[in-house]
Amino acid sequence: MKSDAVKKGIQQAPHRSLFNALGMTKEELERPLVGIVSSYNEIVPGHMNLDKIVSAVKQGVAMAGGTPIVFPAIAVCDGIAMGHIGMKYSLVTRDLIADSTEAMAIAHQFDALVMVPNCDKNVPGLLMAAARINVPTVFVSGGPMMAGHVQGHKTSLSSMFEAVGAHSAGKMSDGEVQEYEDLACPTCGSCSGMYTANSMNCLTEVLGMGLKGNGTIPAVYSARIRLAKEAGMKVMEMYEKDIRPLDIMTEDAILNALTVDMALGCSTNSMLHLPAIAHEIGMDFDITFANEISERTPNLCHLAPAGPTYMEDLNEAGGVYAVMNELDKKGLLHTDCMTVTGRTVGENIRGCENKDPQVIRPIDNPYSETGGLAVLTGNLAPDGSVVKRSAVVAEMMVHEGPARIFESDEEACQAILGGKIKSGDVVVIRYEGPKGGPGMREMLNPTSAIAGMGLGESVALITDGRFSGASRGASIGHVSPEAAVGGPIALLEEGDIIQIDIPALKLDVKLSEEELAARKAKWQPRQPKVTTGYLARYASMVTSGNRGAILEIQ
């Protein structure tokens, strides 16, 4: 056992004395030590139930002959952090989570791990850590929130943000906003649409690191408790078989995740997190090859905010495995990949039927023949940009309009809600990238304001920042190179004509190469917005959005 390094031999007598101080018996020390990484806290709705999940995992581990030991991981609620300085501290936690979990697991020589995440950066951060630590590991998330119900319609957090825009446009009263506020988020769990948290929990299933239902069983279902017990038992089986994360998270598994991402219509943030996870397994992930997968992968789901269905509906329709089974009918998956079940992907998804073709379109009747995400390049984004095209209305798939330039999320939001943005405009928010932000803030406030004010069919938004999974419309993020390093987005001037052609995968500004070169020669780097603390260190090490905003010594 790996943990023998802290348990066996005369030299480890001091170590054993400290285990005695923990109240551990000799019988417990004779078993494998299983670290349970608990992301429980009392500030994130998706994490407030994780104490119950962790308790169930502990029971599962103990039933299967292991000694469960809990230690924590942090998590930020992106919704609460939205629209102010707190959002600078969202993406950056992904690396804090990976680093601190690596430190805890190796310092204490755990034999195996069960990761219990739920929201946004917590899931990819722990997947990154799992690859680094590489001991038998199983993931079990806290599960999605149930959809809200307002005036006979299902709602979610994105409905709430858009209600603010509708109120500013005079389309919704104070009382109606209050009704949404009271009913949009009715339970614990990760917000109920195909936002970043649910995207990554579903993709954890696809990667083979979570059991069936990990991404879709609602947080309030007792089935989630049973799943947690199964995860605890399953990690002991993995320990006995010596199946490790690097046996599971292979290049083919990453490609499977990207394929299912396209079919589900996942958050654009997955195009930050999959490259970062790939980096941990030694895979060079160029986001432009996502277009090759997208071109052959049909989009089968329109979950909120792209459509009227929610995670609970996907669960009832058969979940992630049913989507994978549809894709396998056209041979789009690598089915020989190993998973935490001890079986291959092909063995896991066999017989997993699509129970609701209104929620999961059959493979021969997709929403579109191409996937939910697209990478756009051009003279405005030479290294790429990302759009959730499954959430773009037909009228905005091709658009040309004048740039309206803003230097921050707050500045743009004020202009949108103040009625200063008109039909046809292209809102540009820059110096919000990984370095420039720093921290690459999400832009849910401005995208929701655009939608809520009725401009979703006529106004586009581009940024070197990123979007919440709850964003919809012609919202193009991750524009690379970012403004802070002199990317073309930094050279734009008010009124420049922006050309967006999503079917052709193009994002351009209508300027000559000579004009862009002349502007670049005059451009001067800006003083960093933050010069102390973690954000300053992060800005000094972070790479571009097209590389997943990974950290490197530069």
Side-chain angles (χ1 to χ4, degrees):
M1 282 185 276
K2 186 182 180 74
S3 61
D4 285 350
V6 295
K7 296 189 308 188
K8 300 289 186 181
I10 192 65
Q11 293 297 321
Q12 278 65 46
H15 305 67
R16 290 193 296 275
S17 72
L18 293 169
F19 282 112
N20 288 340
L22 289 169
M24 285 197 182
T25 64
K26 291 180 179 179
E27 290 79 6
E28 286 175 298
L29 289 179
E30 288 171 357
R31 299 176 177 183
L33 302 185
V34 181
I36 302 174
V37 186
S38 171
S39 305
Y40 169 77
N41 64 44
E42 295 182 343
I43 189 63
V44 184
H47 290 230
M48 63 182 284
N49 65 318
L50 295 191
D51 56 341
K52 296 176 178 60
I53 303 298
V54 168
S55 178
V57 171
K58 289 177 69 176
Q59 291 180 58
V61 169
M63 285 191 292
T67 297
I69 304 172
V70 179
F71 66 89
I74 65 168
V76 163
C77 177
D78 279 19
I80 295 174
M82 195 71 64
H84 56 88
I85 191 173
M87 182 46 68
K88 294 179 185 289
Y89 286 88
S90 171
L91 178 61
V92 304
T93 64
R94 185 185 70 186
D95 295 275
L96 282 175
I97 291 162
D99 293 349
S100 59
T101 303
E102 173 192 358
M104 286 292 289
I106 295 177
H108 300 103
Q109 292 292 286
F110 288 107
D111 297 297
L113 297 167
V114 180
M115 306 290 198
V116 187
N118 211 26
C119 291
D120 294 277
K121 316 311 161 299
N122 197 240
V123 183
L126 291 179
L127 284 165
M128 291 161 65
R132 294 180 195 174
I133 301 161
N134 200 34
V135 297
T137 303
V138 176
F139 277 66
V140 56
S141 77
M145 184 184 291
M146 300 295 287
H149 292 267
V150 179
Q151 299 174 4
H153 299 285
K154 285 186 176 182
T155 61
S156 62
L157 183 65
S158 55
S159 310
M160 187 68 254
F161 275 89
E162 289 178 18
V164 175
H167 181 270
S168 296
K171 299 178 180 180
M172 191 174 284
S173 68
D174 289 356
E176 288 171 318
V177 173
Q178 182 68 52
E179 186 177 14
Y180 270 85
E181 184 179 330
D182 292 341
L183 300 175
C185 298
T187 71
C188 64
S190 48
C191 295
S192 56
M194 187 53 80
Y195 309 152
T196 306
N198 293 325
S199 295
M200 293 310 301
N201 282 322
C202 287
L203 295 184
T204 298
E205 273 191 66
V206 182
L207 284 168
M209 292 297 294
L211 298 173
K212 180 183 179 183
N214 179 70
T216 60
I217 296 173
V220 295
Y221 281 16
S222 296
R224 175 66 56 179
I225 301 295
R226 295 196 298 271
L227 184 73
K229 292 177 183 177
E230 290 169 13
M233 291 185 282
K234 188 59 66 174
V235 80
M236 295 309 300
E237 183 181 317
M238 291 180 67
Y239 172 77
E240 294 298 330
K241 295 180 178 178
D242 196 28
I243 300 173
R244 300 169 182 248
L246 293 183
D247 300 322
I248 295 170
M249 289 193 287
T250 61
E251 291 194 13
D252 283 349
I254 296 286
L255 296 178
N256 280 347
L258 189 53
T259 299
V260 178
D261 187 328
M262 296 299 174
L264 285 172
C266 289
S267 164
T268 51
N269 280 316
S270 63
M271 293 301 290
L272 284 173
H273 301 322
L274 286 177
I277 296 163
H279 177 72
E280 297 293 343
I281 70 165
M283 177 184 179
D284 183 17
F285 190 115
D286 180 349
I287 66 167
T288 57
F289 78 68
N291 287 333
E292 299 174 25
I293 290 179
S294 184
E295 285 303 308
R296 62 175 182 264
T297 305
N299 177 227
L300 304 181
C301 298
H302 269 190
L303 296 149
T309 54
Y310 294 80
M311 295 306 296
E312 62 203 60
D313 302 311
L314 179 59
N315 187 63
E316 296 303 318
V320 174
Y321 278 18
V323 175
M324 295 174 74
N325 197 34
E326 288 288 345
L327 294 172
D328 190 44
K329 292 175 183 177
K330 285 195 174 180
L332 295 173
L333 298 175
H334 298 278
T335 56
D336 57 349
C337 292
M338 179 52 63
T339 74
V340 294
T341 66
R343 301 187 297 273
T344 65
V345 166
E347 290 171 322
N348 284 344
I349 66 175
R350 188 176 299 132
C352 293
E353 296 180 4
N354 178 358
K355 299 175 183 178
D356 190 341
Q358 300 302 312
V359 177
I360 305 171
R361 288 279 188 94
I363 194 74
D364 55 1
N365 182 35
Y367 283 102
S368 66
E369 293 294 339
T370 53
L373 300 181
V375 176
L376 313 185
T377 56
N379 69 353
L380 189 48
D383 294 339
S385 60
V386 182
V387 63
K388 188 173 183 175
R389 63 178 162 194
S390 61
V392 179
V393 296
E395 296 89 334
M396 293 299 293
M397 295 297 281
V398 177
H399 180 75
E400 183 173 303
R404 304 296 309 281
I405 309 294
F406 302 97
E407 310 296 323
S408 72
D409 176 350
E410 293 90 343
E411 185 183 334
C413 231
Q414 186 176 6
I416 297 164
L417 294 174
K420 296 180 180 179
I421 300 301
K422 306 301 181 186
S423 177
D425 286 348
V426 178
V427 175
V428 177
I429 306 177
R430 64 189 181 187
Y431 292 96
E432 287 281 14
K435 284 185 179 294
M440 203 179 187
R441 290 196 291 177
E442 288 186 342
M443 305 293 163
L444 180 56
N445 275 344
T447 59
S448 298
I450 288 169
M453 295 190 73
L455 296 171
E457 297 179 359
S458 61
V459 169
L461 190 154
I462 68 170
T463 181
D464 53 6
R466 60 194 180 92
F467 296 109
S468 164
S471 293
R472 62 186 176 99
S475 304
I476 302 167
H478 309 193
V479 171
S480 301
E482 63 172 290
V485 298
I489 193 171
L491 312 178
L492 294 178
E493 296 176 0
E494 189 81 7
D496 285 344
I497 300 301
I498 308 297
Q499 298 172 312
I500 299 167
D501 190 335
I502 295 173
L505 307 174
K506 296 294 289 181
L507 177 63
D508 291 296
V509 56
K510 209 170 182 179
L511 294 173
S512 67
E513 291 183 13
E514 291 77 14
E515 175 62 19
L516 282 170
R519 292 186 187 183
K520 181 63 182 284
K522 296 177 183 178
W523 177 80
Q524 294 291 325
R526 300 195 177 186
Q527 289 296 315
K529 295 178 184 176
V530 180
T531 58
T532 60
Y534 178 59
L535 285 181
R537 295 197 302 275
Y538 180 88
S540 72
M541 298 176 67
V542 71
T543 61
S544 184
N546 69 299
R547 296 189 59 206
I550 61 173
L551 300 186
E552 288 184 342
I553 298 172
Q554 299 176 28

